[in-house]
């Protein structure tokens, strides 16, 4: 009887654990899908910023954009994009330059899509940080993701 109870407990723990892992994998896929939608806008923004950087002789913006376009890892790309957003904010406040209309439109679209990406990232991070899943998450490289900031 004791063996039966222990085996049933092991089965239930296994089912619970596999459910947590499935949840984590699901949210990771959702985050990747959202980033794919976001990536097109981020690439467009980098193209427009490179043109703007050439016009005002800002090599830092151009270098950040080049490194962002060549980065394949989502979290590293998000970190670079956050740096770009900070540079844009500083650049606009220092120089009081009105951005190109197309760039403003892309920034507006980015803000909308970034909200959805950040929500997917938040859900993914919550699922990674739950209970026993942390150990498996580290083994499966399901580490918490970066949040995108568009100013």
């Amino acid at each position: 009887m004791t063996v039966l109870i222990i085996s049933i407990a092991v089965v239930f723990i296994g089912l619970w654990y596999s459910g947590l892992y499935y949840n984590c994998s699901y949210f990771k896929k959702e985050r990747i899908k959202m980033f794919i939608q976001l990536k097109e806008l981020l690439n467009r923004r980098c193209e427009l910023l490179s043109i703007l950087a050439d016009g005002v002789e800002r090599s830092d913006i151009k270098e950040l954009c080049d490194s962002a376009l060549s980065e394949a890892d989502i979290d590293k790309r998000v970190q670079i994009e956050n740096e770009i957003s900070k540079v844009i904010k500083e650049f606009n406040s220092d120089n009081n330059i009105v951005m190109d209309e197309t760039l403003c439109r892309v920034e507006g679209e980015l803000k909308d899509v970034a909200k959805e990406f950040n929500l997917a990232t938040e859900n993914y991070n919550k699922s990674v940080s739950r209970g026993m899943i942390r150990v498996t998450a580290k083994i499966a490289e399901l580490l918490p993701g970066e949040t995108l900031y568009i100013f």
Side-chain angles (χ1 to χ4, degrees):
M1 186 68 171
T2 306
V3 173
L4 179 64
I5 292 172
I6 291 173
S7 61
I8 290 173
V10 167
V11 167
F12 279 117
I13 290 171
L15 289 172
W16 170 76
Y17 193 72
S18 65
L20 286 176
Y21 186 78
Y22 170 78
N23 233 4
C24 195
S25 297
Y26 171 78
F27 285 123
K28 182 177 183 177
K29 289 176 188 172
E30 285 297 309
R31 183 171 184 261
I32 290 170
K33 275 196 254 182
M34 289 307 306
F35 186 75
I36 289 170
Q37 291 178 2
L38 190 63
K39 190 175 180 179
E40 182 180 320
L41 290 170
L42 292 172
N43 290 345
R44 181 73 180 129
R45 175 173 84 162
C46 280
E47 291 170 8
L48 293 169
L49 284 172
S50 292
I51 294 167
L52 178 68
D54 286 341
V56 293
E57 298 176 9
R58 288 288 304 255
S59 61
D60 56 340
I61 296 174
K62 191 162 179 60
E63 288 171 9
L64 282 171
C65 288
D66 290 342
S67 63
L69 291 172
S70 64
E71 186 58 59
D73 182 63
I74 292 176
D75 291 322
K76 289 180 183 174
R77 173 76 187 257
V78 169
Q79 288 174 346
I80 294 168
E81 293 295 342
N82 287 339
E83 294 271 332
I84 291 171
S85 292
K86 288 177 189 173
V87 170
I88 292 171
K89 185 178 180 184
E90 291 168 6
F91 179 70
N92 283 339
S93 64
D94 291 346
N95 298 311
N96 294 324
I97 294 176
V98 178
M99 287 192 294
D100 177 66
E101 182 181 325
T102 308
L103 184 57
C104 288
R105 188 171 51 247
V106 169
E107 286 287 315
E109 291 174 23
L110 264 174
K111 286 180 183 178
D112 295 337
V113 178
K115 286 178 188 175
E116 295 175 30
F117 173 77
N118 289 338
L119 180 62
T121 299
E122 183 181 324
N123 289 335
Y124 169 70
N125 288 345
K126 284 180 186 175
S127 70
V128 166
S129 65
R130 286 192 190 125
M132 288 174 43
I133 198 70
R134 280 184 246 163
V135 174
T136 305
K138 287 181 182 175
I139 293 170
E141 296 181 1
L142 299 172
L143 303 173
E146 290 286 325
T147 303
L148 181 65
Y149 300 103
I150 304 293
F151 298 106

